[in-house]
Amino acid sequence: MNECKNCHECVRKKTRTEEEKKRINKRLNIIEGQIKGVRQMITDERYCADILIQISAIDKSLKSLGTELLKNHLSTCVVEDIKNDKLEVIDEIVSLFEKMNR
C-alpha cells in the first residue's frame, strides 16, 4: 500500500492575492466576533430567542463567505482545469455540491 507523501496530486493549493486574503480574513474576523458574542450571551444568560437570532446571523455570514469562495473557485480553478483538459474537475464539483448540501 502506497502512502501519500503530500504529492502534488493529493495536495492542491490556491494562490490568492493579498487583497483576497485580506477580504477573507476580515470576514472571518467578523464571524469570529459573532461567535464570541454568542458565547458571551450564554454567559450573560440572555434569552434563547436572542441567541438563536445571532446564530442565524452567523449561519448567513458563513454561507455568504462560502458562496464567494465557490464563485471564485468556479471562475478560476475550475476554468483553468477545464482549459487544461482536466475534466475530472467536473466530478470534483459534483462531489463538492453534494457535500455542501448535506
Side-chain angles (χ1 to χ4, degrees):
M1 173 184 242
N2 292 336
E3 289 191 35
C4 179
K5 303 283 191 227
N6 293 328
C7 64
H8 178 70
E9 296 300 316
C10 298
V11 178
R12 298 179 72 184
K13 293 186 179 187
K14 162 70 171 154
T15 303
R16 292 179 175 81
T17 66
E18 288 304 313
E19 182 60 32
E20 285 177 294
K21 291 177 191 178
K22 186 177 175 181
R23 274 195 327 269
I24 292 168
N25 281 314
K26 182 178 179 182
R27 292 177 78 168
L28 287 170
N29 287 336
I30 291 168
I31 293 165
E32 185 177 1
Q34 290 174 305
I35 292 169
K36 287 179 180 179
V38 168
R39 182 175 285 124
Q40 187 62 49
M41 291 174 82
I42 298 293
T43 300
D44 295 344
E45 298 182 347
R46 295 281 301 271
Y47 188 60
C48 299
D50 295 338
I51 296 169
L52 290 167
I53 289 168
Q54 291 305 309
I55 290 171
S56 176
I58 295 167
D59 183 54
K60 288 178 182 162
S61 295
L62 284 168
K63 286 180 180 175
S64 176
L65 177 57
T67 297
E68 287 301 313
L69 289 170
L70 178 61
K71 286 176 7 184
N72 183 275
H73 179 58
L74 291 172
S75 64
T76 58
C77 303
V78 174
V79 167
E80 187 68 26
D81 280 350
I82 290 172
K83 285 181 180 177
N84 291 322
D85 290 326
K86 296 180 182 175
L87 300 181
E88 62 273 8
V89 73
I90 294 168
D91 293 331
E92 176 187 298
I93 290 297
V94 169
S95 176
L96 176 61
F97 276 108
E98 288 171 345
K99 289 175 184 173
M100 290 175 66
N101 289 314
R102 287 186 189 156

